[in-house]
Amino acid sequence: PQIGDVYEFKTESRYYSTFKVLEVTTDSLYIVYNSFETDRIGEVDKIDIASNYLGMKYAISREQTQKMYNDKEIYDINRKQH
């Protein structure tokens, strides 16, 4: 994981959204969730805009993140190329 990575995931309500990585430590990621979700997996890029990431910062363990990926809750990770 790197700062700025955007993870696409399936929400508990079976919609699709993203969260952005703000900080990375040895055992955790500090993230902010997108304020919006969509019912179409192909439209997630339309809600991935900076103004949608204004909520609270949350910590999630690397272990939990890996479990979400293995369980296919996280289905894509986008990294901006520098």
Side-chain angles (χ1 to χ4, degrees), residues 21-62:
V21 178
L22 301 176
E23 184 180 339
V24 178
T25 65
T26 55
D27 62 352
S28 299
L29 306 178
Y30 291 86
I31 63 169
V32 62
Y33 286 102
N34 191 317
S35 301
F36 292 89
E37 50 188 38
T38 178
D39 60 348
R40 296 175 190 232
I41 196 169
E43 293 186 358
V44 170
D45 59 325
K46 293 180 181 176
I47 63 170
D48 181 23
I49 56 177
S51 60
N52 291 350
Y53 296 101
L54 301 176
M56 292 182 54
K57 181 164 77 169
Y58 294 91
I60 184 170
S61 70
R62 286 178 178 252

